[in-house]
Amino acid sequence: MSDTEIRHVISPACDDAEYVREVAEAKRALELWTMEPGFQEKFLAAPEETLAAYGLSIDVLSVRILCVRETALEYQKRPPGDTPRAARRYRGFLQEKIEGRDRMARESCVPKHPAFRAWRSRQLNRCWVELGMKNRSLIHVPMTFELDLGCSVGCPFCGIMAGKLQKVCPYDEENAALWRGILSFAKETVGDAVGDATCYYATEPLDNPDYEKFTDDFFDVFGIVPQLTTAASMRNPERTRKYLLEALKKERRVHRFSVLSLDILHKIFETFTMEELLCVELLPQFAEAPHNMFAKTGRARESELAHVAEDENDTIACASGFIVNMAERSIRLMTPCGSSKEHPTGEYIVAKESFSDLEDFKRVLVSTIDRYMAKELPKDQPLFLRPTVSFEETAEGVEFFRPNKLRLKFRGADDLSPDLYHDVLRKLRGGGKTAYDVVGELMEETGAFPANVFFVLKKFEQAGLFLEPYEIDKKAP
Ligand code: SF4
């Protein structure tokens, strides 16, 4: 952070109470702007009075810059010093959050297991072409956990269509030993990357009365407090407060509350101070919120299906790896994809298997990795470009793309001419040729060097542009 007036507030914590208050007030102003019906109109008509009525002493210009697009654009053109300190400090806070998330996707979520690492990397790269900038918000965590089967909340917008709560995994002697064994084996096999897991997925974390005990063990193994996202923050406010307090004492990170109604928003504001909510993102998930956030996937997609354009393939699935369900004792291997009729929740479920005890968990995990995660695609295996991705030859090389998403460009350089990319692409168009076929045919027809052809094929493979072997199997009649 080059601005000397900007500091970290999440980690390490900032010990300057005034600084924290300034950022917390900016955060509150944005929360009101995005969630409180009528706030925008009141602020625009009488800014000072409105901020004062909500107990905010932040300057009006900072709020305008953070909330009003035209003012933000105007101040982008001016020297940074023209932007008031509160707005700059809030942006520093935002930047800190974004950097933390990007670090997870790029570094900390990378498994140490070589085949798992290669598979995850192909999925992450595939998602750039398939999902575009949406992929930036997906960390592709290699493992995550569910402590229950189903969810008691039943949100009408649930992006992963969680079913009704059927079973809770109690933290009894047997399950505690199994849990600790699973965490240790996951760390040994997949690595520290499992530390970025959450202890919820298609579940509400606070449905489990022993959530705190499970996450204490998690902290013992990984030294990390799993990020909490709860839609039940106000079910037992004292439990939520106590958990947050303890969690933030152990590790500073951002947790999240899904706000399901205006009434819940007001209760959250009454229950927690602005400073207490500094490390809690409030997600506006109710219809009256001026900037409500419903991902167009899962139940929200179903209810809005008529309004979802063909190329709006949303997802909230953030794992390229395993979801371990402790209540059902199952493991599913999945990776994000754009939601569609075939994949309504924006998840591609590759495999699912049950386990009975720790030894069985180990067997299922290892055999699933061995079976589905190729370190590299075999050279004698037929290659099929993803049918969901379009491609075209360009003057520089080739480009892969989906409508309105990013274009992935491969350019010729040095001894790799654009023609080589064109030739390789032409060989792949029909599908079914192996790497050896492509190399052999191009050697004979154009005199291409095998190493160069393999190099191009490898680049396409690493970009996740080829169907995985298990996807080809599913295509077969
Ligand atoms: S969004 Fe979360 S809390 Fe709501 S139903 Fe789905 S899993 Fe449960």
Side-chain angles (χ1 to χ4, degrees), residues 20 37 66 73 98 102 122 158 209 213 226 268 273 287 297 319 345 353 383 416 420 427 459-460 473:
V20 170
L66 294 173
L73 291 174
I98 292 169
D102 289 352
R122 289 197 294 276
C158 183
K213 292 179 186 159
I268 292 172
T273 65
T297 179
T345 56
E353 202 171 330
L383 298 171
L416 295 184
L420 179 65
K427 291 290 172 195
K459 281 177 112 178
F460 291 173
D473 293 347

Coordinates of all heavy atoms in Angstrom, one line a residue, residues 20 37 66 73 98 102 122 158 209 213 226 268 273 287 297 319 345 353 383 416 420 427 459-460 473:
V20 N -9.9 2.5 12.6 CA -10.9 1.4 12.5 C -12.3 2.0 12.4 O -13.1 1.6 11.5 CB -10.8 0.4 13.7 CG1 -12.0 -0.6 13.7 CG2 -9.5 -0.3 13.7
P37 N -33.8 0.2 2.1 CA -34.6 0.9 1.2 C -34.8 2.4 1.6 O -35.1 2.7 2.8 CB -36.0 0.1 1.3 CG -35.6 -1.2 1.8 CD -34.4 -0.9 2.8
L66 N -17.7 6.5 -2.8 CA -17.9 5.1 -2.6 C -19.2 4.6 -3.2 O -19.3 3.4 -3.6 CB -17.7 4.7 -1.1 CG -16.4 4.9 -0.5 CD1 -16.4 4.7 1.0 CD2 -15.3 4.1 -1.2
L73 N -16.3 8.1 -10.8 CA -15.6 8.2 -12.1 C -14.9 9.6 -12.1 O -13.8 9.7 -12.6 CB -16.6 8.1 -13.2 CG -17.2 6.7 -13.4 CD1 -18.2 6.7 -14.5 CD2 -16.0 5.7 -13.8
I98 N -9.5 -8.3 -1.2 CA -9.3 -8.9 -2.6 C -8.0 -9.6 -2.7 O -7.9 -10.7 -3.2 CB -9.4 -7.8 -3.7 CG1 -10.9 -7.3 -3.7 CG2 -9.0 -8.3 -5.0 CD1 -11.1 -6.1 -4.5
D102 N -7.4 -13.5 -3.7 CA -6.5 -13.9 -4.8 C -5.4 -14.8 -4.4 O -5.0 -15.7 -5.1 CB -6.0 -12.6 -5.5 CG -7.1 -11.9 -6.3 OD1 -8.2 -12.4 -6.4 OD2 -6.8 -10.8 -6.8
R122 N -6.1 -27.4 -14.1 CA -6.9 -27.4 -15.4 C -8.3 -26.9 -15.2 O -8.9 -26.2 -16.0 CB -6.9 -28.9 -15.9 CG -5.6 -29.4 -16.5 CD -5.8 -30.6 -17.3 NE -6.3 -31.8 -16.6 CZ -5.6 -32.7 -15.9 NH1 -4.3 -32.5 -15.9 NH2 -6.1 -33.7 -15.4
C158 N -31.3 -20.3 -2.8 CA -30.1 -21.1 -2.6 C -29.4 -21.6 -3.9 O -30.0 -22.3 -4.6 CB -30.5 -22.4 -1.7 SG -29.0 -23.3 -1.3
P209 N -24.9 -27.9 16.5 CA -24.6 -27.3 17.8 C -23.1 -27.4 18.2 O -22.7 -26.7 19.2 CB -25.5 -28.1 18.8 CG -26.0 -29.3 18.0 CD -25.8 -29.0 16.6
K213 N -16.8 -26.9 18.3 CA -15.8 -28.0 18.6 C -15.1 -28.5 17.3 O -13.9 -28.8 17.3 CB -16.5 -29.1 19.3 CG -17.1 -28.7 20.7 CD -17.8 -29.9 21.3 CE -18.4 -29.4 22.6 NZ -19.5 -30.3 23.0
P226 N -11.7 -21.8 10.1 CA -12.4 -21.8 8.8 C -13.4 -20.6 8.7 O -14.0 -20.2 9.7 CB -13.2 -23.1 8.8 CG -12.8 -23.8 10.1 CD -12.0 -22.9 10.9
I268 N -29.2 -7.0 13.1 CA -27.7 -7.1 13.1 C -27.1 -5.8 13.5 O -26.2 -5.7 14.3 CB -27.2 -7.6 11.7 CG1 -27.6 -9.0 11.4 CG2 -25.7 -7.4 11.6 CD1 -27.3 -9.5 10.0
T273 N -21.7 -3.7 17.1 CA -21.2 -2.4 16.8 C -20.6 -2.4 15.3 O -20.3 -3.5 14.8 CB -20.1 -2.0 17.7 OG1 -19.0 -2.8 17.6 CG2 -20.6 -2.0 19.2
A287 N -35.3 -9.3 -1.2 CA -35.8 -8.6 -2.4 C -35.8 -7.1 -2.3 O -35.5 -6.4 -3.2 CB -37.2 -9.2 -2.7
T297 N -28.2 -19.0 -10.2 CA -27.9 -20.4 -10.2 C -28.8 -21.1 -9.1 O -29.3 -20.4 -8.2 CB -26.4 -20.7 -9.9 OG1 -26.1 -22.1 -9.9 CG2 -25.9 -20.1 -8.6
A319 N -15.4 -24.9 -5.0 CA -14.4 -26.0 -4.8 C -14.1 -26.6 -6.1 O -15.0 -26.9 -6.9 CB -15.0 -27.0 -3.8
T345 N -27.1 -26.3 -10.5 CA -26.4 -25.7 -9.4 C -25.0 -25.1 -9.7 O -24.3 -24.7 -8.8 CB -26.3 -26.6 -8.2 OG1 -25.6 -27.8 -8.6 CG2 -27.7 -27.0 -7.7
E353 N -19.0 -41.0 -3.4 CA -18.8 -42.3 -2.7 C -19.0 -42.2 -1.2 O -18.6 -41.2 -0.7 CB -17.5 -43.0 -3.1 CG -17.5 -44.5 -3.0 CD -16.2 -45.1 -3.5 OE1 -15.6 -44.6 -4.4 OE2 -15.9 -46.2 -2.9
L383 N -8.2 -37.1 -28.0 CA -8.4 -35.7 -27.4 C -9.6 -35.1 -28.0 O -9.9 -35.2 -29.2 CB -7.2 -34.9 -27.7 CG -5.8 -35.3 -27.2 CD1 -4.7 -34.5 -27.7 CD2 -5.8 -35.2 -25.6
L416 N 7.8 -21.0 -32.8 CA 6.4 -21.5 -32.8 C 5.6 -20.5 -33.7 O 5.2 -19.4 -33.2 CB 5.8 -21.6 -31.4 CG 6.4 -22.6 -30.5 CD1 5.6 -22.6 -29.2 CD2 6.4 -24.0 -31.1
L420 N 1.6 -23.1 -36.9 CA 1.7 -24.3 -36.1 C 0.4 -24.4 -35.3 O -0.2 -25.5 -35.2 CB 2.9 -24.3 -35.2 CG 3.0 -25.6 -34.3 CD1 3.2 -26.8 -35.2 CD2 4.2 -25.4 -33.3
K427 N -6.2 -30.2 -36.7 CA -6.1 -31.7 -36.4 C -7.1 -32.0 -35.2 O -7.5 -33.1 -35.1 CB -4.7 -32.1 -36.0 CG -3.7 -32.0 -37.1 CD -4.0 -33.1 -38.1 CE -3.1 -33.0 -39.4 NZ -3.7 -33.8 -40.5
K459 N 0.0 -26.8 -23.9 CA -0.6 -25.5 -23.5 C -2.1 -25.6 -23.5 O -2.7 -25.1 -22.6 CB -0.1 -24.4 -24.4 CG 1.3 -23.9 -24.1 CD 1.7 -22.9 -25.2 CE 1.8 -21.6 -24.6 NZ 2.3 -20.6 -25.6
F460 N -2.6 -26.3 -24.5 CA -4.1 -26.4 -24.5 C -4.6 -27.3 -23.4 O -5.6 -27.0 -22.7 CB -4.5 -27.1 -25.8 CG -4.3 -26.2 -27.1 CD1 -4.6 -26.8 -28.4 CD2 -3.9 -24.9 -27.0 CE1 -4.4 -26.0 -29.5 CE2 -3.7 -24.1 -28.1 CZ -4.0 -24.7 -29.4
D473 N -15.9 -40.5 -21.2 CA -16.7 -41.7 -20.9 C -18.1 -41.4 -20.8 O -19.0 -42.1 -21.3 CB -16.2 -42.3 -19.5 CG -14.8 -42.8 -19.6 OD1 -14.3 -42.9 -20.7 OD2 -14.2 -43.1 -18.5

